[in-house]
Amino acid sequence: EEEEEEEDSGMEDEEEEEGSEESEEELEEEESDCYKDSDNYDVNFDAEEEAEQLRKFREACEDEEFPDEMDTPTDIAARVRFQKYRGLKSFRTSAWDPQENLPRDYSRISQIRNFNNVRKSLLRQSSTEKTVSPGTHVDIHIAEVPLAISSSTSSSITVFSLLPHEQRLSVQHVAQARHPLSTGVVKCKEQLLAQVGFRRYIVRPVFSQHTKSNKHKMERFMPLGGNFVASFYAPITLTNSPAVLFKVEGDGSVTLLSTGTLLSCDPDRVVCKRVVLSGHPHKIQKRAAVIRYLFHNREDIAYFKPVQVRTKHGRRGHIKEALGTHGHCKITFDKPIQQSDTVLLPLYKRVFPKWHFEYF
């Protein structure tokens, strides 16, 4: 019995060695296939596109490490550079009127009050109407067909019907999740291809967090993990439809970016862009501290004095007065802060999708 066990173990070792040799040979063949056309590797290389991809990659890495932080500009006053921004005591609970300071593009779109109730009512009406059962032969006569379509060599054409209001444009929001195979950097308001239900169009979406608050923080880049919401101008869709986002490459091919479903068609959904100005403690005395690099002149300190500041360690404070003429200010906090802490001034501005819509 011992001799038989030794023979069996010897055979298993030989099989493992043969399997490892075959796997090594396969890897060598794959590597040779990858580099067999190495002489023509850079034939279609675009230096400008490569530089643009590198710039977006660096911006995404910086935004991931220091989210929304930026240095206070020195060539222009902060009260001028951030005049469209406002401070909020609490991003979750502070009020924000969705009807104020709307762009001119909102004059082109339609809004349905109580969107969910209207959708349920129209879908209930459509379900009671007479429909054609599957497999029935139907003759359809279409008037005023464009010559480009009637002379096309395509053997089939897709026909669909629309519910009331579905021919009107509005702001469409789709809940999305990044596809596991999609790892590229996609910037906010970049031109993408969206397919919602049976319709497909070119849009420039704004990305935001998927939360239940009345305000939603904008994402500068399409998140690689978790759920998010993409907002863009598109026709109203009342049915629960799947939504997919693609990126159109230079050669006309498309790359899948994310998948999800239609969330709503609501122009009143508030998406806010956040900017965080940062400063550093210069001198600390109990709960008071002198902060520098947050501002660069006395006028900016007086302009932003009502805005509450916070630190990375969770302390909150208020600006008391300006010191000197070079932007140093005295801030009182709820508890003493550390010398290594960073003082942050968050500001918010409502953003809207970029007007761009065309059928693909």
Side-chain angles (χ1 to χ4, degrees), residues 24 105 185 241-242 254 285 345:
E24 290 178 358
D105 294 334
V185 179
S241 305
V254 295
Q285 186 177 7
L345 179 71

Side-chain angles (χ1 to χ4, degrees), residues 93-108:
T93 60
S94 297
W96 195 302
D97 184 8
Q99 300 296 330
E100 65 175 332
N101 298 329
L102 297 178
R104 290 188 175 182
D105 294 334
Y106 266 46
S107 61
R108 309 181 185 181

Side-chain angles (χ1 to χ4, degrees), residues 100-235:
E100 65 175 332
N101 298 329
L102 297 178
R104 290 188 175 182
D105 294 334
Y106 266 46
S107 61
R108 309 181 185 181
I109 64 176
S110 301
Q111 180 179 10
I112 299 178
R113 298 292 182 183
N114 299 323
F115 177 79
N116 292 329
N117 294 337
V118 173
R119 175 167 61 178
K120 291 179 181 178
S121 176
L122 292 176
L123 292 177
R124 195 181 304 112
Q125 293 177 8
S126 63
S127 63
T128 58
E129 295 178 355
K130 294 182 178 180
T131 58
V132 180
S133 59
T136 306
H137 179 79
V138 179
D139 292 331
I140 300 177
H141 300 272
I142 305 176
E144 300 180 359
V145 178
L147 182 60
I149 297 178
S150 60
S151 60
S152 176
T153 57
S154 177
S155 59
S156 62
I157 185 171
T158 303
V159 180
F160 52 84
S161 61
L162 297 178
L163 294 173
H165 312 299
E166 285 194 333
Q167 77 281 7
R168 302 178 180 177
L169 286 178
S170 185
V171 180
Q172 197 171 96
H173 311 284
V174 292
Q176 294 286 290
R178 195 71 180 265
H179 193 270
L181 299 180
S182 175
T183 58
V185 179
V186 182
K187 198 171 183 180
C188 187
K189 297 184 180 181
E190 188 173 337
Q191 183 171 302
L192 301 177
L193 172 63
Q195 174 149 1
V196 182
F198 51 82
R199 290 188 280 198
R200 179 181 290 189
Y201 23 75
I202 301 294
V203 295
R204 291 181 178 268
V206 170
F207 307 129
S208 61
Q209 295 179 348
H210 191 6
T211 59
K212 294 183 179 180
S213 176
N214 60 346
K215 296 179 292 296
H216 311 272
K217 179 182 166 298
M218 187 195 82
E219 298 285 358
R220 299 175 186 269
F221 299 89
M222 180 181 286
L224 292 176
N227 297 328
F228 64 95
V229 176
S231 305
F232 45 83
Y233 295 107

Side-chain angles (χ1 to χ4, degrees), residues 292-360:
R292 58 180 176 178
Y293 308 138
L294 187 61
F295 304 105
H296 299 295
N297 55 70
R298 296 179 64 92
E299 291 77 10
D300 288 344
I301 297 174
Y303 183 83
F304 290 102
K305 189 175 181 179
V307 182
Q308 186 183 55
V309 300
R310 61 179 179 85
T311 69
K312 286 190 174 182
H313 290 169
R315 306 280 75 84
R316 297 184 179 275
H318 296 274
I319 301 173
K320 291 300 181 182
E321 58 180 342
L323 302 175
T325 60
H326 297 286
H328 291 201
C329 60
K330 181 180 179 181
I331 300 179
T332 303
F333 296 91
D334 55 354
K335 291 182 181 180
I337 66 173
Q338 301 178 5
Q339 190 71 37
S340 60
D341 208 346
T342 303
V343 180
L344 305 176
L345 179 71
L347 302 172
Y348 300 91
K349 177 186 73 170
R350 185 178 179 184
V351 294
F352 303 90
K354 192 169 183 179
W355 181 266
H356 186 93
F357 173 80
E358 58 177 307
Y359 282 104
F360 184 79

Side-chain angles (χ1 to χ4, degrees), residues 30-44:
E30 291 179 357
E31 291 179 356
S32 62
D33 291 339
C34 292
Y35 300 106
K36 66 181 180 181
D37 196 18
S38 59
D39 295 337
N40 299 325
Y41 183 79
D42 292 331
V43 171
N44 298 323

